[in-house]
Amino acid sequence: MASESANTVVESSTLPKRDNEFYFDDAFAIFQVEDTLFRVRVSYFKESSILHDMFSLPPPTGEVQEGQSDGHPIVLKHDKAQDFKFLLAVLREIYDCGRRPPGSKENWVAVLRLAHKYLMLHVVKPVALSALSNPKIFQPAEKLQLCEELDLELSWAADAIMAYLDHFSTFDEGVPFRERLELKRSFDEKTWEIMMWCREKDLIRRKKHIISGKLDSETVKGWLQSMEGEDVTDERQSE
């Protein structure tokens, strides 16, 4: 009997629990993330065709519609409950209050990843990028690697590019080849090509004195915005 009782406790402890903030009786979409159930309005996900289609498409014949009950939720694998909960807080504030909720760097990076994963690109993504716009919260390499991971426009990371341009200026003074090679290996080919393109722009700027004074991130941002969508590799080879 003691063994059966212990098994019952273990089994019940593994059942998903309702979130204490985002589980509304009058909502119609139930998601399970890790061991937590969220019941929210379908309209929250109108920007994401991926999430919206999960509960808008009819189920196969003879199967229960997912997302309509706690016993048959839409299970979002590989996401974290705390990240999804903050995404819901963002959606609530955007659509119900027209504002951006406060959050940590980790919160907003998580939302940015979820926006990328679920194609929430026109509302949620810009709000997350705006929340992460302070250049002081990222190391240059961290910001550029986030651009690579989530296919973000590098103009958002103009300050990080500028930090490397300052470092590249020492190449003319003889930076060891090994250090340059290690730096190159830390980025993908496209990012490296763009960084080298910006370096050449800076060398031309300094040589011709097109712009006086120290290079600033707004100048770099302007360069990046002008070339986004172009093939930088081809442009460099033709120069």
Side-chain angles (χ1 to χ4, degrees), residues 88-116:
L88 294 178
V90 171
L91 293 170
R92 178 180 62 187
E93 292 298 304
I94 290 175
Y95 292 124
D96 295 350
C97 306
R99 63 192 180 196
R100 186 180 77 200
S104 66
K105 168 189 170 182
E106 290 73 21
N107 289 150
W108 285 109
V109 169
V111 165
L112 195 57
R113 288 193 169 104
L114 289 172
H116 176 75

Side-chain angles (χ1 to χ4, degrees), residues 63-232:
E63 295 188 14
V64 178
Q65 177 74 52
E66 292 185 342
Q68 300 297 310
S69 68
D70 287 5
H72 295 88
I74 296 171
V75 179
L76 302 181
K77 298 180 180 179
H78 312 301
D79 296 332
K80 294 182 178 179
Q82 62 182 11
D83 295 342
F84 191 73
K85 183 170 183 173
F86 187 69
L87 172 63
L88 294 178
V90 171
L91 293 170
R92 178 180 62 187
E93 292 298 304
I94 290 175
Y95 292 124
D96 295 350
C97 306
R99 63 192 180 196
R100 186 180 77 200
S104 66
K105 168 189 170 182
E106 290 73 21
N107 289 150
W108 285 109
V109 169
V111 165
L112 195 57
R113 288 193 169 104
L114 289 172
H116 176 75
K117 178 179 180 179
Y118 294 117
L119 301 181
M120 308 175 84
L121 306 180
H122 303 295
V123 177
V124 177
K125 177 184 173 181
V127 169
L129 289 175
S130 176
L132 294 169
S133 60
N134 186 341
K136 296 181 180 180
I137 65 176
F138 286 104
Q139 293 296 320
E142 181 186 15
K143 196 167 189 177
L144 288 172
Q145 287 162 0
L146 193 63
C147 287
E148 292 176 355
E149 175 193 347
L150 303 180
D151 196 26
L152 303 174
E153 294 179 345
L154 281 175
S155 57
W156 175 71
D159 56 292
I161 294 284
M162 190 187 73
Y164 279 103
L165 290 181
D166 289 341
H167 183 65
F168 292 156
S169 66
T170 64
F171 284 175
D172 299 327
E173 302 168 9
V175 170
F177 175 77
R178 178 178 295 179
E179 180 181 340
R180 183 171 182 172
L181 184 61
E182 289 177 354
L183 183 62
K184 181 177 181 180
R185 286 173 175 170
S186 64
F187 301 105
D188 66 21
E189 183 176 352
K190 178 182 176 182
T191 301
W192 181 256
E193 287 289 344
I194 291 173
M195 291 168 73
M196 290 297 97
W197 179 81
C198 286
R199 178 185 176 233
E200 290 174 4
K201 297 280 285 187
D202 186 36
L203 290 173
I204 293 172
R205 181 193 73 92
R206 288 189 281 131
K207 183 177 180 179
K208 296 183 177 181
H209 303 288
I210 296 174
I211 302 175
S212 61
K214 187 177 180 180
L215 183 65
D216 59 75
S217 61
E218 286 302 311
T219 299
V220 177
K221 185 176 182 178
W223 292 345
L224 293 167
Q225 289 176 332
S226 71
M227 55 69 57
E228 281 169 354
E230 300 177 4
D231 191 329
V232 175

